[in-house]
Amino acid sequence: MRVVFVGPPGAGKGTQAENIVRDYGLFHLSTGDALRAAVKAQTPIGLEADKYMKAGALVPDEVVIGVVVERLDEATSGCLLDGFPRTIAQAEALDKILAEKNAPLDVVLELAVPEDELFRRLASRGRADDNPDVIKQRLVAYHEQTEPLVGYYSKSGILRKIDGLGSVEDIYDRIRAVLDEYK
Ligand code: B4P
């Protein structure tokens, strides 16, 4: 099963991803985690990505696509792509890579959470990019660059919307109900 997780910053993608990969045995690829690891290790990609992440902007497509291509070989039999793609260009690149491997996506989960709740969650998390100005900028980037993916994947008929409000357990039950259809 190949699954993509789409949703605004703070929707709970990382939180729910842990449950999904554990129970469905999927390879977890979080571009946020991969980029933060690169920043910590001060690799050339990390040094480049850090400037954008600090400002609440998306990291350029060519950098992120490079990070994903390196890891995707391990992932075609079953994966959860968490926070990738985040732009139409990334989605097109992913479709192309997966078509070459004859391993198309099965389902895209859109985790939907209202903006006031996103602010509340992110402000209490306190990661380096979770201060109010940067959060605002990340939400702008989401609306402008990532939300168009909802239309892109609805057209291909693989988008499923999940209500992301409620307890972590309740949200996971909703996700499971959808993923079990694809097992
Ligand atoms: P990510 O690491 O993907 O982080 P995120 O979108 O901010 O958070 P997520 O939705 O995973 O929320 P979480 O579970 O942690 O991206 C970080 C940055 O990396 C981006 O801004 C960008 O610069 C860069 N980047 C990543 N991928 C990229 C790409 N493809 N292209 C370009 N740039 C890219 O939950 C948030 C908080 O809410 C936590 O504190 C959690 O405990 C809490 N929470 C979760 N569920 C809850 C619930 N049900 N109720 C209450 N609180 C809850």
Side-chain angles (χ1 to χ4, degrees):
M1 181 162 55
R2 285 167 296 275
V3 184
V4 160
F5 229 155
V6 175
K13 301 181 294 289
T15 305
Q16 297 295 339
E18 282 179 29
N19 293 328
I20 298 172
V21 296
R22 181 196 61 220
D23 292 347
Y24 293 84
L26 302 177
F27 176 86
H28 182 200
L29 177 47
S30 158
T31 41
D33 287 349
L35 292 168
R36 277 187 291 277
V39 171
K40 198 168 170 209
Q42 300 218 309
T43 65
I45 283 181
L47 293 173
E48 173 73 5
D50 195 30
K51 296 183 272 182
Y52 296 91
M53 294 170 81
K54 268 192 190 140
L58 294 186
V59 175
D61 287 333
E62 60 277 13
V63 175
V64 179
I65 291 167
V67 166
V68 171
V69 167
E70 272 178 14
R71 290 170 171 78
L72 214 54
D73 269 346
E74 301 169 63
T76 47
S77 63
C79 58
L80 175 65
L81 303 180
D82 165 6
F84 179 88
R86 258 178 160 96
T87 65
I88 295 284
Q90 291 178 17
E92 289 172 348
L94 177 65
D95 280 349
K96 195 164 163 249
I97 298 165
L98 292 180
E100 279 162 13
K101 297 178 188 293
N102 207 13
L105 291 175
D106 294 292
V107 60
V108 174
L109 302 176
E110 180 202 356
L111 202 51
V113 176
E115 219 147 275
D116 53 345
E117 171 69 6
L118 297 173
F119 260 94
R120 207 184 56 73
R121 289 184 190 176
L122 293 173
S124 59
R125 181 171 63 179
R127 206 168 67 194
D129 55 349
D130 285 340
N131 75 65
D133 288 343
V134 179
I135 294 173
K136 265 186 216 143
Q137 196 43 53
R138 285 159 65 199
L139 287 168
V140 170
Y142 178 76
H143 291 307
E144 290 180 356
Q145 293 171 272
T146 306
E147 220 166 23
L149 292 179
V150 171
Y152 180 89
Y153 287 121
S154 324
K155 257 190 227 148
S156 44
I158 56 171
L159 186 86
R160 301 291 295 270
K161 187 169 183 157
I162 309 283
D163 174 3
L165 270 184
S167 71
V168 171
E169 294 73 25
D170 286 348
I171 298 164
Y172 185 49
D173 284 345
R174 292 172 206 147
I175 291 173
R176 260 211 317 239
V178 172
L179 290 184
D180 284 349
E181 294 175 30
Y182 297 87
K183 272 210 285 200

